[in-house]
Amino acid sequence: MQRKSAHFLFLAVLGMLVIGIVMLFSTSAFARDAHGDVYFFIKRQSLWLGIGLIILITAALVDYHFWYHTWWLWFLLALGTLALCFVPHFGLRINGSRRWVGAGLITFQPSEIAKIAAVFFLAWWFSRFENRTRNVIFGFLVPLIGIALLVSLIITEVDLGTSALIGATTLVMMFVAGTNVILLGAFSATALGGFIFTATIALLVSLIITEVDLGTSALIGATTLVMMFVAGTNAILLGAFSATALGGFIFTATCMPERMGRLLAFLHPENYKQDAGLQQMQALIAWGSGGMEGLGLGNGRQKMLYLPYAHTDFIFPMIGEELGLRVSLLVVFLFILIIVCGMMIALHAKDRFGMLLSCGIVSLLALQAAVNIGVTTSLLPNKGLPLPFISYGGSNLAACLFGVGILLNIYRQAKLEPGNQKRITMQARMTPRI
């Protein structure tokens, strides 16, 4: 399968883009903010799709080592654009969060740039200092400080979901790198782990006072953990950090009325079906209405202002209502195919940077999809993360296609100039752990 992994990857992404455009055409006409134009969202998404495909083709043609040398530019760009979210006339406050930057008719989320910047930084760092991966300073503290610069800005916007996603991605990548899970779990119960947890709570409290975008922060944090895991960071330190992050997010969620409402709605959906639990209750109705075959394309009822944001975060239940369980499972299969193909590309990359970069990109896509599917099927508390390649959202679509383009180039480079066979063999042995 490794020989055809790029082909399967591209076909899977293409299939989801088609499903996304079709479902957006069906659901967006009833959106509240369509500005009186039933084609408003489909026009904007088509524009972003064109931009995203150009980015994909460019990334697939540019040698991925270019990102090794320019990671710092992306890092500075991410910091600058995140800071713009708080600048009057540039930053946009929507639904109580400052996650967007507006430039004329175009708005985008700087956190999407931050995700890419975090992956570039971690891949560069752990390939540059490969022999010092298990060192406390070089393998743990410095990378976390770098990611903290991005996450601290994202947290102040208000996005707990993306923050958790970044943290989970980081944890996965550190696990793949070979972190000892027993030590990781044991150290989380030590006094040092408790000290770090207390310090993190203090930091989160200070940030909560100013408003929070915890979603993208968690996504970058998760990506950091994943890439540090892949690189082989000290397992004890990783365990402490993961326990700290989890405790910090729970503390933050319980201290924020809106987040606490979502947690309570998740635990007792019947009691909150008219407010915090409305979206998930209507999503369950959509799943039940669709059944195995679906009501037919365009015949869904929940999109008619019953299910808020049916064209963005909750587009997956609309697929189930209109196209049925079979097409919904097809979407899940396509994501699984992307994960498998992406990890095959990572395991056969010609160098460490390519392997880490691939792993980070795949982790971002996989975890974001898993969180969205979990939320829309009421397996997880509500969190505003879009479904990659399918949900409405131009900046997220462009970022995802950029990541796919890099994966294609890593595959292409490995085919044109195979790497060290011993390294590839060692990477392939990690497949059972993955």
Side-chain angles (χ1 to χ4, degrees), residues 203-354:
L203 173 62
L204 288 174
V205 169
S206 64
L207 290 171
I208 290 170
I209 293 176
T210 64
E211 286 185 75
V212 202
D213 174 8
L214 298 174
T216 304
S217 306
L219 179 58
I220 293 179
T223 305
T224 304
L225 285 175
V226 172
M227 298 190 70
M228 292 175 74
F229 173 78
V230 172
T233 299
N234 187 290
I236 297 178
L237 294 174
L238 285 179
F241 179 76
S242 59
T244 300
L246 178 60
F249 282 121
I250 294 175
F251 177 84
T252 303
T254 56
C255 289
M256 299 177 66
E258 180 188 357
R259 269 55 185 180
M260 190 60 186
R262 291 182 176 183
L263 290 176
L264 291 175
F266 171 71
L267 296 174
H268 309 286
E270 289 291 338
N271 298 333
Y272 296 87
K273 59 183 179 180
Q274 297 300 328
D275 39 65
L278 174 63
Q279 283 182 300
Q280 289 182 306
M281 285 298 295
Q282 295 302 128
L284 291 177
I285 294 174
W287 287 113
S289 301
M292 185 66 69
E293 302 294 336
L295 300 178
L297 185 63
N299 294 329
R301 294 186 288 267
Q302 293 304 313
K303 64 187 179 184
M304 299 177 183
L305 304 182
Y306 292 107
L307 175 59
Y309 300 104
H311 61 297
T312 55
D313 303 340
F314 278 78
I315 198 170
F316 192 52
M318 298 311 306
I319 296 176
E321 184 182 30
E322 297 193 357
L323 302 180
L325 180 62
R326 294 176 181 175
V327 178
S328 302
L329 292 178
L330 173 62
V331 172
V332 176
F333 171 76
L334 292 177
F335 276 115
I336 294 175
L337 186 60
I338 288 176
I339 296 170
V340 173
C341 292
M343 294 313 300
M344 291 296 294
I345 292 173
L347 291 173
H348 291 84
K350 71 176 185 179
D351 55 24
R352 183 175 174 82
F353 178 70

Side-chain angles (χ1 to χ4, degrees), residues 21 41 101 314 403 431:
I21 289 294
F41 290 107
V101 170
F314 278 78
T431 304

Side-chain angles (χ1 to χ4, degrees), residues 359-376:
C359 186
I361 292 170
V362 173
S363 298
L364 281 175
L365 295 175
L367 290 171
Q368 184 172 331
V371 170
N372 180 275
I373 293 174
V375 167
T376 55

Side-chain angles (χ1 to χ4, degrees), residues 158-165 213-216 218 249 252-253 259 383:
V158 187
D159 191 348
L160 180 59
T162 309
S163 304
L165 184 55
D213 174 8
L214 298 174
T216 304
F249 282 121
T252 303
R259 269 55 185 180
K383 194 66 220 81

Side-chain angles (χ1 to χ4, degrees), residues 118 121-122 126 136 139-152 155 162-175 179-181 183-201 203-204 214 216-229 233-250:
F121 166 69
L122 291 170
F126 285 112
V136 174
F140 185 77
L141 293 179
V142 176
L144 287 183
I145 291 174
I147 297 301
L149 293 175
L150 297 173
V151 171
S152 60
I155 284 181
T162 309
S163 304
L165 184 55
I166 294 173
T169 304
T170 305
L171 181 61
V172 170
M173 294 191 70
M174 298 174 86
F175 173 78
T179 301
N180 189 308
V181 293
L183 291 176
L184 187 153
F187 186 75
S188 63
T190 63
L192 179 58
F195 172 78
I196 298 174
F197 175 74
T198 304
T200 303
I201 288 179
L203 173 62
L204 288 174
L214 298 174
T216 304
S217 306
L219 179 58
I220 293 179
T223 305
T224 304
L225 285 175
V226 172
M227 298 190 70
M228 292 175 74
F229 173 78
T233 299
N234 187 290
I236 297 178
L237 294 174
L238 285 179
F241 179 76
S242 59
T244 300
L246 178 60
F249 282 121
I250 294 175

